[in-house]
Amino acid sequence: MIQEIQENRTHKITFRLNNREVKFLDVFSQSTGISRSDTLRKLIQKIQGDVTIIKTDKLLKTLNSLAAEQGRVNNNINQLAKHANQYSKVEDLDPEIFARFNSLLARHLDYQQEINRTFRKIYKTISQ
């Protein structure tokens, strides 16, 4: 199908953009890793409902942010678990430590669910 589209490209379209518009087109094209022409073609196809354009820079920043936050939560949970394991008697543990551990574990599970939702959205977007 892609070859069909490329073989039938007999029309040349010329139009003018102002500085702001061409800068936006260039930045957007670079962030998706495709040429200006392909960006405009994909935009037309998207309007027709055929193609999804993915801004990889935004995607990578989002994934990086989620991974960093997940790492911080994991680190906090590990520190609390280490602290709890240092005590030989459970009754010696401060109840606030258990409460904080449970809070961080719940936060961890929330972030894990958010990561899973994000990956499902990414998969759905890419596979369409």
Side-chain angles (χ1 to χ4, degrees):
M1 184 172 136
I2 293 174
Q3 288 177 337
E4 232 178 82
I5 293 170
Q6 290 175 346
E7 290 173 12
N8 293 329
R9 290 187 182 140
T10 57
H11 301 282
K12 182 177 180 179
I13 306 290
T14 305
F15 61 96
R16 296 184 185 276
L17 299 174
N18 63 31
N19 287 339
R20 183 180 50 82
E21 293 165 337
V22 83
K23 182 176 180 179
F24 176 82
L25 179 60
D26 287 342
V27 169
F28 187 86
S29 295
Q30 286 178 338
S31 73
T32 58
I34 57 178
S35 69
R36 285 178 174 176
S37 296
D38 284 339
T39 297
L40 295 173
R41 280 188 202 100
K42 287 183 184 288
L43 180 59
I44 290 168
Q45 291 170 355
K46 182 168 180 61
I47 292 167
Q48 294 172 336
D50 293 342
V51 171
T52 300
I53 298 174
I54 299 170
K55 280 195 85 172
T56 54
D57 63 335
K58 246 184 181 177
L59 173 65
L60 293 174
K61 284 179 185 177
T62 301
L63 291 175
N64 189 39
S65 174
L66 282 171
E69 186 62 27
Q70 187 68 41
R72 286 189 285 275
V73 171
N74 289 344
N75 186 43
N76 287 340
I77 290 171
N78 286 337
Q79 287 176 0
L80 287 172
K82 181 181 177 184
H83 183 68
N85 286 330
Q86 290 175 348
Y87 289 98
S88 59
K89 296 180 183 176
V90 175
E91 60 271 4
D92 291 343
L93 283 174
D94 182 356
E96 184 152 330
I97 291 175
F98 283 114
R100 185 155 184 242
F101 179 81
N102 288 335
S103 170
L104 287 172
L105 188 56
R107 186 174 166 202
H108 169 79
L109 294 174
D110 288 343
Y111 280 113
Q112 191 63 46
Q113 289 174 351
E114 180 65 26
I115 288 170
N116 290 340
R117 280 192 295 272
T118 301
F119 281 132
R120 279 194 296 276
K121 286 179 187 177
I122 292 167
Y123 178 78
K124 183 178 178 184
T125 301
I126 291 173
S127 65
Q128 288 179 345

